[in-house]
Amino acid sequence: MEKFDVTIIGSGPGGYVAAIRCAQLGFKTAIIEKYSTLGGTCLNVGCIPSKAWLDSSEHYYKMIHEFDVHGITFQKPGVEIKTMSARVADVVKANVDGIAFLMKKNKITVFNGLGSFKTANIITVKGTTGVQEIESSKIIIATGSKPSSLPGITIDKERIITSTEALKLKEIPKHLILIGGGVIGLELGSVFARLGAKVSVVEFMDGILPTMDKSLGKELQKTMKKMGVDFYLKHKVTSVVRNDGGAKKNIANAVTVKAESDGKEIVLEGDYCLVAVGRRAYTEGLGLENIGITADARGMIPVNAHLETSVPGIYAIGDVITGPMLAHKAEEEGVFVAESLAGQKPHINYNLIPGVVYTWPEVAAVGQTEEQLKASGKAYKVGSFPFKASGRARASMDLDGFIKVLADKETDEILGVHMIGARMADLVMEAVVAMEYRASAEDIARMCHPHPTYSEAFKEACLAATENRAIHI
Ligand code: FAD
Ligand code: NAD
């Protein structure tokens, strides 16, 4: 039986990053992945293909809706969905091949197959070429997550689908009904709305992006409405039924979704229904019962502050444990465990894990929301700057959105930054750096920002938070 110092189960951003860091630190490392390609949800059916679709659809949308004011003319706009999805597949392939290269480069042994605990240090790998056992001193569980559904809804993967199928659609839906106005719903809803689909969002809460600062969801909803997206907030879905008897042909009313709000029912008919109501930790087939690990009520693997499970020597990271289901959070945890195993003292600041929604305008945030500060009774002040007052935003005509800075009322320390606007996904890192070093709003306000850039809006919001002295509003 082959023996390893560390074995990682699952090759998503948590698992493969943990493997690389373990190898860098001198551990004999193995990684087990049940699918034939490495990279997990993120690279295969998550972050990467969704961003590739978002980029393609944005080019198309800008071409038909915005190029004319720039004086750019063209003939016959159109979408070749086959070419578009082939490009997405190429992007995914380049990324997953890159991970395979990194495994080789770092001399990490890759096992293809389902990893299952036989004992606390023996794992059975059931692959296409048979079953083998490996022994490992330490094991990191990085098995990620799968889409959730709702009671009574059957995901048939044809017309009633999850993000996994939506990313591989061969046609543009006529009417896409989205259940869930969270990150997946709004990103994939944007893709298909830009490509010409009618999109309706049914959301249970009273606003979209309900876990973020409320102001962000409100602004995004306004801009997505301008694209023709319909929103049904505070609506509880009561049924999702397929009407076409499983026909392969696209029938306009293949799916009926019923939902109710305050006793009033709405009935929506569309050709696709995308269920995006969150994801659940994935532990099926892992054999946790063989080693005495019990998932918590939400299906997550419980871990302590060292990310170690109840079984010494077995750790868990990423989507399969508590916290935001984000690739960069999983990566940080992978590095954290590897370095802990090497006797180092790593640290993760969970308050400063940024969140980004790759719609247009982009939504990005870090730190506390206004709702959280209110609930905790913390005295805070607010500085906000709208992009309609930004010279850079005016030049590109991306005038929707704002940056909102929340700072401690007494000390002026920045407690939260909430952005919606062009290119915010990248700008949010300025806020993360500032907050990691516990900057005050005035610290940022006194730093020279390049002109004309979107980053000036962050400085202006900080000026607004500091005695209301923004210059351009
Ligand atoms: P995963 O990436 O889920 O990887 C787990 C791996 O373990 C999988 O490959 C699985 O096959 C394997 N596995 C499971 N069980 C076993 C077993 N028993 N044996 C062997 N292998 C096993 N996050 C962001 O930060 N930014 C984004 O833009 C973003 N976009 C997203 C878009 C979509 C559509 C989706 C669905 C998710 C997106 N996410 C995004 C979330 C992100 O993909 C996850 O947070 C991230 O992939 C979690 O990483 P992980 O390593 O914990 O697990
Ligand atoms: P989510 O938690 O972001 O959103 C789910 C939405 O569904 C919420 O708004 C919720 O109120 C709503 N909902 C729940 N039950 C409902 C019901 N019965 N009827 C109507 N609405 C209902 O989850 P998601 O969009 O499925 O994404 C899953 C995970 O993937 C998220 O945790 C997210 O962090 C991650 N992800 C991240 C990115 C990114 O970082 N850009 C992109 C995609 C996915």
Side-chain angles (χ1 to χ4, degrees):
M1 190 185 319
E2 204 169 348
K3 289 188 183 162
F4 294 91
D5 299 324
V6 188
T7 297
I8 295 115
I9 310 178
S11 72
Y16 84 73
V17 169
I20 293 172
R21 191 70 188 114
C22 283
Q24 284 176 344
L25 290 164
F27 295 116
K28 185 180 177 199
T29 307
I31 191 162
I32 306 171
E33 172 53 55
K34 70 175 195 169
Y35 289 118
S36 58
T37 55
L38 303 177
T41 303
C42 174
L43 274 69
N44 291 281
V45 291
C47 324
I48 299 301
S50 58
K51 267 77 258 180
W53 276 110
L54 279 156
D55 283 336
S56 295
S57 59
E58 193 186 318
H59 289 315
Y60 177 68
Y61 187 82
K62 280 193 188 296
M63 181 177 83
I64 55 173
H65 294 283
E66 294 176 15
F67 275 17
D68 55 344
V69 279
H70 290 271
I72 302 169
T73 55
F74 52 87
Q75 287 167 346
K76 275 199 179 174
V79 175
E80 277 180 17
I81 196 87
K82 236 174 133 183
T83 311
M84 208 176 261
S85 67
R87 188 193 79 89
V88 174
D90 286 348
V91 170
V92 168
K93 185 170 180 336
N95 277 277
V96 299
D97 287 353
I99 305 301
F101 164 79
L102 290 173
M103 295 299 108
K104 256 197 202 126
K105 180 185 161 209
N106 287 284
K107 301 189 175 46
I108 295 161
T109 307
V110 177
F111 291 95
N112 277 113
L114 184 81
S116 189
F117 284 100
K118 185 174 178 187
T119 69
N121 56 1
I122 297 181
I123 304 169
T124 309
V125 185
K126 286 188 202 109
T128 43
T129 53
V131 181
Q132 58 187 310
E133 286 183 356
I134 58 173
E135 190 178 331
S136 192
S137 308
K138 310 283 180 201
I139 295 166
I140 304 174
I141 303 170
T143 51
S145 63
K146 290 274 176 204
S148 298
S149 186
L150 294 170
I153 297 182
T154 308
I155 306 283
D156 64 20
K157 300 191 178 185
E158 290 175 358
R159 298 281 156 187
I160 305 171
I161 59 176
T162 70
S163 54
T164 305
E165 295 76 48
L167 289 165
K168 291 184 179 142
L169 281 188
K170 301 263 180 299
E171 61 186 354
I172 300 164
K174 295 180 179 68
H175 182 192
L176 174 67
I177 305 164
L178 269 164
I179 303 182
V183 197
I184 291 183
L186 299 174
E187 287 187 359
L188 295 183
S190 297
V191 166
F192 292 110
R194 290 167 187 171
L195 296 179
K198 167 89 205 128
V199 173
S200 303
V201 179
V202 184
E203 166 58 50
F204 183 68
M205 303 296 279
D206 62 356
I208 57 173
L209 298 177
T211 55
M212 299 187 88
D213 193 279
K214 270 194 184 305
S215 60
L216 298 174
K218 267 190 201 154
E219 182 75 3
L220 184 63
Q221 188 179 338
K222 263 199 274 172
T223 60
M224 287 185 72
K225 263 187 174 168
K226 286 194 244 170
M227 277 168 57
V229 176
D230 284 340
F231 291 90
Y232 300 89
L233 303 180
K234 282 210 281 184
H235 273 77
K236 183 175 164 26
V237 172
T238 50
S239 73
V240 179
V241 176
R242 179 124 181 223
N243 307 312
D244 62 352
K248 287 276 170 264
K249 220 175 112 217
N250 186 332
I251 296 170
N253 63 348
V255 187
T256 302
V257 174
K258 290 186 181 168
E260 61 177 34
S261 179
D262 294 332
K264 280 191 208 124
E265 185 178 74
I266 56 157
V267 180
L268 300 171
E269 290 188 333
D271 49 346
Y272 287 94
C273 170
L274 167 54
V275 181
V277 292
R279 294 176 63 86
R280 60 182 171 83
Y282 186 67
T283 54
E284 275 94 333
L286 195 51
L288 290 181
E289 60 288 356
N290 298 335
I291 50 169
I293 292 180
T294 315
D296 68 16
R298 295 175 53 231
M300 309 273 182
I301 297 181
V303 289
N304 64 20
H306 305 288
L307 305 185
E308 194 170 23
T309 66
S310 55
V311 179
I314 300 182
Y315 298 77
I317 58 172
D319 281 10
V320 81
I321 66 169
T322 191
M325 287 184 165
L326 295 172
H328 41 286
K329 177 258 193 187
E331 291 184 28
E332 292 304 314
E333 291 179 337
V335 170
F336 177 93
V337 172
E339 293 182 351
S340 302
L341 292 177
Q344 299 182 7
K345 300 265 179 292
H347 173 69
I348 298 175
N349 187 345
Y350 281 100
N351 185 41
L352 295 188
I353 293 176
V356 175
V357 189
Y358 295 81
T359 45
W360 199 261
E362 289 177 335
V363 178
V366 61
Q368 310 243 38
T369 65
E370 208 168 338
E371 292 74 34
Q372 286 168 331
L373 290 175
K374 271 187 192 139
S376 69
K378 181 103 183 160
Y380 67 94
K381 47 191 184 156
V382 185
S384 193
F385 187 81
F387 279 108
K388 57 179 184 301
S390 148
R392 183 69 191 88
R394 200 154 279 282
S396 66
M397 294 176 68
D398 286 310
L399 295 171
D400 291 320
F402 55 82
I403 295 183
K404 177 165 106 173
V405 170
L406 305 172
D408 188 300
K409 195 159 193 174
E410 298 303 315
T411 66
D412 197 36
E413 179 177 352
I414 300 174
L415 303 173
V417 180
H418 306 281
M419 311 172 153
I420 174 165
R423 306 186 196 176
M424 293 299 105
D426 295 296
L427 186 63
V428 75
M429 264 320 290
E430 182 182 351
V432 179
V433 173
M435 290 172 71
E436 185 64 47
Y437 289 96
R438 303 196 62 177
S440 63
E442 177 146 19
D443 287 333
I444 300 300
R446 290 197 176 277
M447 286 178 194
C448 183
H449 284 64
H451 174 77
T453 61
Y454 296 98
S455 73
E456 288 170 295
F458 183 39
K459 175 186 168 122
E460 289 273 9
C462 287
L463 277 166
T466 317
E467 295 164 16
N468 214 2
R469 55 195 172 96
I471 302 291
H472 292 91
I473 39 170

